[in-house]
Structures are given as structure tokens and as C-alpha cells.
Amino acid sequence: MRSIKAIRSLFLIIICTFLISACSKNSQADVVDDGQVINSISIGLGGEPDNTLVTYNFNIWNKTRNTILIRSIEPVLSENLQQRLLDNEIKNEVNRTINGSTSEIFTGSFQLNTQGLDKQAIEKLKIRIEKFKIITEQELGLETH
């Protein structure tokens, strides 16, 4: 009698484990993470007394298995920095591919009008880049099970 109860309990545990596993797989399939992430960003400042050249480097990691074509990148700037741009076109046309599960480094630059500002005033501008607008292209095929 005890062995039958033990077998039933074991059978119930196996069925419950299977059902929980199946439910968690279905819910994970509904969640879609972004396929690209930026791992790190670095900026440098230089230039002339009246304009500051801002250069940036950042690393994009393609977390998918698919090759992705990066068409263009554009740093997202604060309103204050946008008003100081010497050239309003800061979009960088790159047309480079990132293979699946790899990363690539992208670079760019833009110039800010810092006429009349000393070093401390330029530092107070808080020149940072924390986000980018990235235009990508990729081919998708029909997924069959």
C-alpha cells in the first residue's frame, strides 16, 4: 500500500514538474528582449577655444543569432547641447553589419559652440551621451516548429 502511494506521489510530482516547465516556456516565449544592447560608451573632448569637438565610442552587442545591418546611429543629446551644435546633422551613416552573438565598436563626433566659455563652464554643460537612436535592418524568415 505504501509503495502504491509513493508511486502515485512520484507520478504527481513528475506531472506537476512537466506542467510547470511547459507553462514557464510558453510565458518566456511571449517575452521579447531587445536584440541589441550597448555595453559601454566613452566620450572625449577637444578642439579649439570657441568650439569643442566631442568624440564618442560605444560597443553594440548583437544578442541574436541573426546578422543585423546598422544603417545609422545618432547620439541623443540634451536640449542644452542641441542648442549649442555647430552642425545640426549629427546622424552618422555607418552601413555596417554585426554578426549574431558578436559586438562591434562604433565611433562618431560632433562640434559644440563653446565661444566665451572657460574650462569650468564647459564642464558645467555636463556633456554626456547615454543613449543613441540606431536604425537597423535585418531579414526575418518564417519560423516553423
Side-chain angles (χ1 to χ4, degrees), residues 47-66:
E48 304 294 320
D50 290 341
N51 64 52
T52 298
L53 176 66
V54 180
T55 58
Y56 56 84
N57 297 301
F58 66 101
N59 186 18
I60 298 178
W61 175 32
N62 178 3
K63 294 177 14 177
T64 71
R65 290 178 295 224
N66 302 324

Side-chain angles (χ1 to χ4, degrees), residues 110-142:
F110 55 90
Q111 292 189 354
L112 299 175
N113 178 355
T114 53
Q115 185 175 6
L117 300 180
D118 61 8
K119 183 178 177 179
Q120 288 78 21
I122 292 172
E123 288 174 357
K124 287 182 182 179
L125 291 176
K126 296 181 181 178
I127 301 171
R128 292 180 236 224
I129 304 171
E130 297 175 346
K131 294 181 182 180
F132 289 86
K133 293 179 186 175
I134 300 174
I135 306 297
T136 63
E137 178 180 306
Q138 76 186 87
E139 290 183 16
L140 298 176
L142 179 64

Side-chain angles (χ1 to χ4, degrees), residues 16-134:
C16 288
T17 304
F18 176 76
L19 289 174
I20 290 170
S21 174
C23 290
S24 67
K25 285 182 182 178
N26 286 339
S27 65
Q28 288 174 356
D30 295 338
V31 176
V32 178
D33 290 333
D34 192 4
Q36 301 85 39
V37 293
I38 295 177
N39 289 344
S40 62
I41 301 172
S42 63
I43 64 167
L45 305 177
E48 304 294 320
D50 290 341
N51 64 52
T52 298
L53 176 66
V54 180
T55 58
Y56 56 84
N57 297 301
F58 66 101
N59 186 18
I60 298 178
W61 175 32
N62 178 3
K63 294 177 14 177
T64 71
R65 290 178 295 224
N66 302 324
T67 298
I68 296 173
L69 175 63
I70 304 292
R71 288 284 185 193
S72 65
I73 56 173
E74 179 179 351
V76 176
L77 303 177
S78 68
E79 186 66 35
N80 184 33
L81 293 180
Q82 287 179 15
Q83 293 173 358
R84 292 189 169 276
L85 284 172
L86 290 176
D87 182 4
N88 287 333
E89 188 56 46
I90 59 173
K91 185 186 289 186
N92 189 359
E93 302 293 331
V94 293
N95 293 316
R96 285 179 38 204
T97 59
I98 304 177
N99 293 325
S101 301
T102 64
S103 63
E104 291 285 329
I105 297 174
F106 292 86
T107 62
S109 64
F110 55 90
Q111 292 189 354
L112 299 175
N113 178 355
T114 53
Q115 185 175 6
L117 300 180
D118 61 8
K119 183 178 177 179
Q120 288 78 21
I122 292 172
E123 288 174 357
K124 287 182 182 179
L125 291 176
K126 296 181 181 178
I127 301 171
R128 292 180 236 224
I129 304 171
E130 297 175 346
K131 294 181 182 180
F132 289 86
K133 293 179 186 175
I134 300 174

